[in-house]
Amino acid sequence: MHRVAVIAVPPATTFDLSIPELVLGEMTVNGRRGYEVRVCTARPGPVATSGSLRVAVPHGLAAADDADTVIVTGTGAREDIDPRVLASLRNASAAGKRVVSICTGAFVLARAGLLDGRSATTYWAKSEEFRRRFPEVTLRPDVLFVEDGNVLTSAGLSAGIDLCLHLVRTDYGPAAANAVARLVVAPPVRPGGQAQFIATPLPPESGTSLADTRAWALERLHEPLTRTTLAAHARTSVRTLTRRFHDETGLSPLQWLLHQRVNRAQELLEIKDLPMDQVARLSGLTTTDSLRQHLAKRTGLTPTAYRAAFTRHAD
């Protein structure tokens, strides 16, 4: 079982603090929990939050010493972060453990020196403050999450869910991540490079959302879909389709299709004992060479190696 320590730094953001347990704690492998999640803090007991609540945290930082992954969630703390928290994070990183922040938890990682020379993100509304405080960090304020070596950072609020689903996908594969996403009623995959927010949150009055077209395409990934095909279904021009696709997903139509086809290939490799040429055909990647190329780019593994690492049995 993968052990996760979630460090609460007062004043803690309660929504962020709940995310790891809600997402990781729901994940099971063959009926057994995939993660043991323990919330800890420098001083066990009541922890102040950014709102009116106080949260009782039972564990001390020894939980982080025993963990495989250490997560710091959002906080209003800046200069007054307990030195024991910073030392615990440095020790975890030095030991090669995965160190993660959600939302303004990135301020804590940066104070610990773990983001120096790295790329990172945080809640977009705090990006200018972050830049002023930590000019040595390459801040990417317009993405959902960033993975730089063993250190991962996410944007605010729901982006923390995306990052935790990414952890599940990394540790146990896409089928497991998709199952958890359904439980927490979240999109299975929003790529880390997707924008934190949409500049035009509502579609034009004369247009409609492309959600129906994306759902339609997901049922036909094995077909030779093109921008023209998608535009015809959406009853719009290719140019408008491309613009709105980027607004709604952060990706071009063809990038989105490729991402979904690789996801489908991963699921097929995990739960079905299919020949590689069938996996390629059913996922829409067409050929085994294309399957191998795109899967290696995504995961660093060949299809055979991926299947060996992530084989699961369908219920």
Side-chain angles (χ1 to χ4, degrees):
M1 183 186 301
H2 193 104
R3 294 166 298 181
V4 177
V6 181
I7 300 180
V9 178
T13 304
T14 50
F15 181 85
D16 297 343
L17 190 60
S18 70
I19 289 172
E21 282 196 295
L22 286 173
V23 177
L24 304 180
E26 292 294 330
M27 192 263 151
T28 60
V29 181
N30 297 325
R32 293 179 295 179
R33 289 190 302 158
Y35 297 93
E36 177 188 36
V37 182
R38 290 193 291 175
V39 181
C40 62
T41 190
R43 295 181 180 179
V47 171
T49 71
S50 55
S52 60
L53 299 175
R54 292 180 73 83
V55 177
V57 178
H59 301 291
L61 293 175
D65 297 336
D66 297 332
D68 303 299
T69 294
V70 179
I71 302 176
V72 181
T73 56
T75 176
R78 296 295 185 264
E79 303 295 336
D80 53 342
I81 300 169
D82 194 305
R84 291 173 292 180
V85 169
L86 302 179
S88 180
L89 290 168
R90 293 185 190 112
N91 291 338
S93 181
K97 298 179 180 181
R98 188 166 57 191
V99 181
V100 179
S101 69
I102 294 174
C103 193
T104 49
F107 283 82
V108 182
L109 296 191
R111 284 278 293 156
L114 301 186
L115 299 182
D116 292 356
R118 294 182 185 268
S119 294
T121 193
T122 190
Y123 179 38
W124 67 267
K126 302 296 182 182
S127 60
E128 290 307 313
E129 178 190 358
F130 189 94
R131 280 198 178 99
R132 289 195 305 270
R133 289 178 178 272
F134 307 108
E136 63 277 14
V137 180
T138 302
L139 184 67
R140 298 180 60 194
D142 57 343
V143 298
L144 293 177
F145 59 85
V146 175
E147 182 171 8
D148 191 329
N150 68 317
V151 179
L152 297 89
T153 54
S154 87
L157 302 174
S158 64
I161 297 175
D162 296 305
L163 179 51
C164 285
L165 288 172
H166 173 72
L167 298 182
V168 176
R169 183 174 295 271
T170 299
D171 295 336
Y172 294 103
N178 291 348
V180 175
R182 286 193 293 271
L183 285 174
V184 299
V185 197
V189 180
R190 290 202 296 170
Q194 182 173 327
Q196 284 194 32
F197 59 97
I198 300 171
T200 306
L202 295 176
E205 291 182 4
S206 59
T208 57
S209 169
L210 295 176
D212 287 345
T213 295
R214 292 196 298 274
W216 176 83
L218 284 173
E219 298 296 324
R220 295 165 175 81
L221 291 177
H222 59 287
E223 298 179 8
L225 300 175
T226 65
R227 290 186 303 167
T228 301
T229 308
L230 295 173
H233 182 273
R235 298 182 179 180
T236 187
S237 68
V238 170
R239 182 176 180 180
T240 299
L241 174 94
T242 301
R243 174 177 55 79
R244 285 167 52 194
F245 232 95
H246 191 275
D247 287 345
E248 294 183 22
T249 71
L251 300 170
S252 72
L254 297 184
Q255 287 173 328
W256 182 86
L257 278 172
L258 177 59
H259 198 93
Q260 299 302 329
R261 282 169 167 156
V262 176
N263 289 344
R264 180 65 51 80
Q266 289 177 274
E267 292 184 9
L268 291 170
L269 287 168
E270 286 185 40
I271 64 174
K272 292 183 180 296
D273 187 19
L274 295 175
M276 294 303 174
D277 60 339
Q278 289 191 41
V279 172
R281 179 173 55 81
L282 292 173
S283 65
L285 293 174
T286 309
T287 67
T288 54
D289 285 343
S290 178
L291 169 64
R292 186 180 302 107
Q293 173 190 345
H294 291 298
L295 188 68
K297 186 174 181 180
R298 169 79 67 85
T299 69
L301 299 173
T302 65
T304 300
Y306 185 90
R307 173 171 278 169
F310 291 107
T311 294
R312 292 164 56 84
H313 299 287
D315 294 333

